[in-house]
Amino acid sequence: MEKEPELQITENITEVMKIRRQKLEKLKASGENPFKAKFTRTNFIEDVIQEFGMVEPGEQTGKVVTVAGRIMVIRRHGKASFMVIKDRTGSIQLFLSMGVLGEERYKEFLDYDIGDIVGVTGKVFKTKRGELSINIESYTLLTKSLRPLPEKWHGLKDVETRYRQRYVDLIINPQTRQTLLARTKIVKAIREWLDNHNFIEVETPMLQPIAGGAAAKPFITHHEALGINLYLRIAPELYLKRLIVGDLERVYELNRNFRNEGLSVRHNPEFTMLEVYQAYADYKDMMDLCEELVKYAARQAVGSLKLVYQEQPVDLSGEWQRLTMVESIEKYGGLKISFNQNLDELRAVAKEHGIDAEDHWGKGKLINELFEKLVEGKLWQPTFITDYPTEISPLAKTKPDDPDVTERFELIIIGLEVGTAFSELTDPIDQLQRFEAQVKLHEYGDEEAPRQVDEDYVRALEYGMPPTGGLGIGIDRLVMLLTDNYSIREVISFPHMRPEARD
RNA sequence: GGGCCGUUAGCUCAGCUGGUAGAGCACCGGACUUUUAAUCCGGGUGUCGAAGGUUCGAAUCCUUCACGGCUCACCA
């Protein structure tokens, strides 16, 4: 029998870690619990600053407060020393003196390390140099920290460590904290707006027997008891529309989608999507809704509609530009094209622009490729692109006067697709045909096309779905825009990474 | 998946044309009762990402691999 490898919790015990473990043992031996269960504070640090920030340098307020937080700085000065601790609301200086604490307790406190979490009680005062401080009268160690934090001046810069050990990133880099807090504000604002407009938030399956509602390669998982494969959803769309068939009229879901595709600065395998459905509305209503919603989120989270993204101004105020796809190709690509041209002509134009067309591509797909190649990246200011080709919009209603295109738009900002919406296809017979066409694409080897017709969805449509507008917004990308982050990984608390290398 | 770049102390980084690894902060010991990146004195704590190869000698040159970043492809 092979010998079990010894369980090793930490890979390398460094000198600093050894010393901290020794301190831990010493504390335990002296009867101290270095990992306490609870601590009651009278104030957040921000409150103390609010209340006493204006007192004069040198002034003693006599006011006793109890605060708690992580030690960030220690300045030992002989018989009187300083520390800085921070809690969720801010940071404040602690003043420790042998005179107040007594020699033993003073020395014990000075033996604590940067990173330790303490609770302290003392009188608020301001030093001669004008630094608001707490003159510590009693203290308790709440949590002993066993690893050294990155240095105070340069902080933690290594991107890999920042993503893998986001907890350290959050302790050290205020910017990371701000981005994640902005994210929750944005999400909260979106829910608020929708709730205020009579939409109800619902939850639909993440585990789906057929991964539908988008064109993407799904993750496959397995249900043991049922003995079947399931897919992690690539979109909630088809279930949300079932709820519209069920006469809920206004629903939204703000949650994760999973797509088994490459990673990039704009793509994470799991990402957060908002989908909104409104009965008796069409894509134009959704355009208005989308514009209002994004503006509301920006105002709530950023406080302004005039943004800067990667040093370029982005102005969300005013009416957003609206262009059809074909118009945009002429305006931004300088290329006049139309569905009236025949397929070979369009194929030739695409080839001129370096697009490698596949045999089964039709006019719509070619035009969309041209749009993506020539236009999308240039749309920096918010722009709605409408009249998406039917060929690439299997779930949208075609325009009554032009079967080549659909009642659909995409919202492009900073060259990124932030949202898409359409007048939902409600005709079950048309829907079935489009599903069948998609399945055929899968058989051609398109792994992003569904491999199976969602017959239950068609059945639902047969009961009758009211005219409905549907909207999807990529929340991560919206957060990137509003927080001026270039990489999607910055706006995701734990972005996907390969497993850490083991040596 | 392709291309380019990177990986050196806990952190941030230097290390030239190959000569046996260095700074600041952190840490350890000492001094200091109002400091502010405190200061002063003393101490370098390292599998130079990993494995091979070339060489008298490799952090440095070559190959492969791992991880990361950017980019192209992919991705409505």
Side-chain angles (χ1 to χ4, degrees):
Chain A
M1 222 176 103
E2 271 185 60
K3 209 180 148 197
E4 293 258 334
E6 246 178 78
L7 191 68
Q8 198 134 37
I9 295 167
T10 43
E11 63 292 9
N12 299 311
I13 303 272
T14 65
E15 196 56 37
V16 179
M17 287 169 68
K18 258 183 219 158
I19 291 162
R20 292 203 178 190
R21 270 153 212 263
Q22 283 162 9
K23 286 187 184 178
L24 177 73
E25 290 312 316
K26 212 174 116 191
L27 285 163
K28 280 183 177 166
S30 73
E32 173 86 7
N33 175 6
F35 300 102
K36 298 213 174 52
K38 183 182 167 82
F39 185 77
T40 305
R41 41 191 167 172
T42 60
N43 297 84
F44 291 117
I45 288 168
E46 188 182 40
D47 303 336
V48 179
I49 295 168
Q50 283 278 308
E51 199 175 340
F52 303 106
M54 301 313 284
V55 306
E56 293 299 312
E59 188 176 333
Q60 305 286 332
T61 69
K63 168 84 179 184
V64 176
V65 295
T66 298
V67 298
R70 187 185 298 275
I71 299 173
M72 300 306 290
V73 177
I74 300 177
R75 290 187 283 268
R76 297 179 175 90
H77 282 249
K79 296 188 178 66
S81 298
F82 300 89
M83 290 192 189
V84 174
I85 63 164
K86 88 174 164 63
D87 70 9
R88 149 165 87 87
T89 66
S91 52
I92 194 162
Q93 177 167 275
L94 308 182
F95 177 71
L96 296 62
S97 74
M98 201 179 273
V100 173
L101 288 167
E103 182 168 357
E104 197 180 329
R105 288 290 282 162
Y106 175 76
K107 282 186 172 162
E108 273 174 43
F109 202 167
L110 279 198
D111 207 33
Y112 291 175
D113 294 300
I114 290 173
D116 287 356
I117 296 167
V118 294
V120 297
T121 300
K123 291 199 182 87
V124 179
F125 75 108
K126 195 172 257 184
T127 64
K128 287 187 288 201
R129 302 281 180 100
E131 183 79 28
L132 191 67
S133 307
I134 302 173
N135 191 348
I136 300 310
E137 292 166 355
S138 65
Y139 64 86
T140 178
L141 176 66
L142 302 175
T143 300
K144 182 71 196 161
S145 167
L146 297 179
R147 283 176 184 265
L149 286 172
E151 66 151 306
K152 59 193 166 190
W153 194 242
H154 295 94
L156 178 64
K157 287 187 176 166
D158 183 73
V159 177
E160 184 173 352
T161 309
R162 287 187 46 236
Y163 295 158
R164 286 193 196 280
Q165 301 185 39
R166 189 66 102 178
Y167 35 89
V168 180
D169 190 24
L170 280 164
I171 292 169
I172 290 296
N173 294 319
Q175 187 54 51
T176 301
R177 181 189 181 84
Q178 273 175 24
T179 296
L180 293 181
L181 291 179
R183 181 182 178 118
T184 75
K185 273 191 196 165
I186 291 162
V187 168
K188 195 175 165 207
I190 289 169
R191 289 201 159 101
E192 205 168 77
W193 192 94
L194 289 165
D195 293 343
N196 288 340
H197 287 77
N198 293 317
F199 287 86
I200 57 169
E201 182 171 11
V202 295
E203 292 172 275
T204 64
M206 300 242 174
L207 294 175
Q208 303 181 347
I210 299 169
K217 200 168 150 189
F219 285 93
I220 304 173
T221 186
H222 186 75
H223 192 291
E224 298 287 347
L226 295 179
I228 55 167
N229 281 344
L230 290 169
Y231 302 93
L232 297 188
R233 74 175 183 198
I234 56 174
E237 169 143 0
L238 299 181
Y239 285 95
L240 291 171
K241 287 195 283 196
R242 283 172 168 93
L243 295 177
I244 296 294
V245 170
D247 293 334
L248 292 187
E249 290 198 10
R250 290 187 179 203
V251 298
Y252 74 94
E253 183 162 9
L254 202 172
N255 218 318
R256 226 67 63 79
N257 288 343
F258 308 86
R259 298 189 182 176
N260 205 342
E261 290 158 356
L263 291 81
S264 82
V265 90
R266 268 160 263 128
H267 300 264
N268 197 59
E270 53 180 304
F271 61 100
T272 301
M273 185 86 171
L274 167 72
E275 290 202 7
V276 184
Y277 292 86
Q278 181 179 347
Y280 308 103
D282 70 358
Y283 77 116
K284 286 190 173 156
D285 298 312
M286 299 321 276
M287 231 182 289
D288 296 337
L289 185 156
C290 179
E291 190 168 331
E292 269 193 63
L293 183 61
V294 170
K295 284 177 176 175
Y296 183 77
R299 261 190 233 106
Q300 295 300 305
V302 187
S304 170
L305 296 183
K306 309 235 189 226
L307 312 173
V308 173
Y309 186 77
Q310 305 296 292
E311 297 177 353
Q312 304 278 341
V314 178
D315 189 357
L316 299 183
S317 66
E319 283 254 316
W320 295 352
Q321 181 177 217
R322 299 182 181 195
L323 288 174
T324 69
M325 184 180 281
V326 168
E327 284 167 356
S328 77
I329 292 171
E330 184 173 353
K331 182 167 176 182
Y332 291 91
L335 185 63
K336 231 180 152 133
I337 49 161
S338 115
F339 277 93
N340 295 326
Q341 291 171 273
N342 69 41
L343 186 61
D344 288 337
E345 259 178 82
L346 284 174
R347 191 161 283 174
V349 173
K351 192 158 189 187
E352 262 173 56
H353 290 88
I355 292 161
D356 239 349
E358 285 172 37
D359 290 345
H360 61 273
W361 287 8
K363 293 183 193 177
K365 174 77 176 167
L366 288 166
I367 288 174
N368 183 58
E369 291 289 319
L370 283 166
F371 166 76
E372 286 183 3
K373 186 113 188 180
L374 299 175
V375 183
E376 192 168 14
K378 294 181 188 166
L379 298 176
W380 193 261
Q381 301 302 327
T383 305
F384 289 113
I385 298 294
T386 61
D387 292 18
Y388 265 65
T390 306
E391 187 181 347
I392 55 156
S393 311
L395 297 159
K397 271 201 171 96
T398 54
K399 291 198 100 171
D401 55 341
D402 184 357
D404 285 325
V405 296
T406 54
E407 296 199 348
R408 172 181 179 186
F409 72 79
E410 283 204 356
L411 170 63
I412 318 280
I413 315 177
I414 56 174
L416 261 187
E417 178 203 333
V418 171
T420 185
F422 31 87
S423 301
E424 302 295 334
L425 185 61
T426 52
D427 176 347
I429 294 164
D430 188 356
Q431 181 69 75
L432 179 61
Q433 284 165 358
R434 295 204 204 180
F435 273 161
E436 282 167 349
Q438 292 282 299
V439 170
K440 207 156 271 166
L441 280 183
H442 187 89
E443 285 159 9
Y444 280 130
D446 184 352
E447 285 188 277
E448 285 154 20
R451 49 193 83 192
Q452 209 182 326
V453 171
D454 191 335
E455 287 173 18
D456 175 70
Y457 179 68
V458 176
R459 176 168 61 191
L461 290 188
E462 285 169 354
Y463 282 95
M465 178 160 91
T468 297
L471 165 70
I473 293 179
I475 297 301
D476 309 278
R477 290 178 179 182
L478 181 62
V479 176
M480 286 163 70
L481 164 70
L482 296 181
T483 59
D484 189 18
N485 275 115
Y486 179 71
S487 170
I488 196 169
R489 294 176 191 116
E490 293 293 344
V491 304
I492 293 173
S493 52
F494 297 97
H496 187 265
M497 304 283 272
R498 271 175 219 257
E500 256 177 281
R502 292 192 59 106
D503 33 28

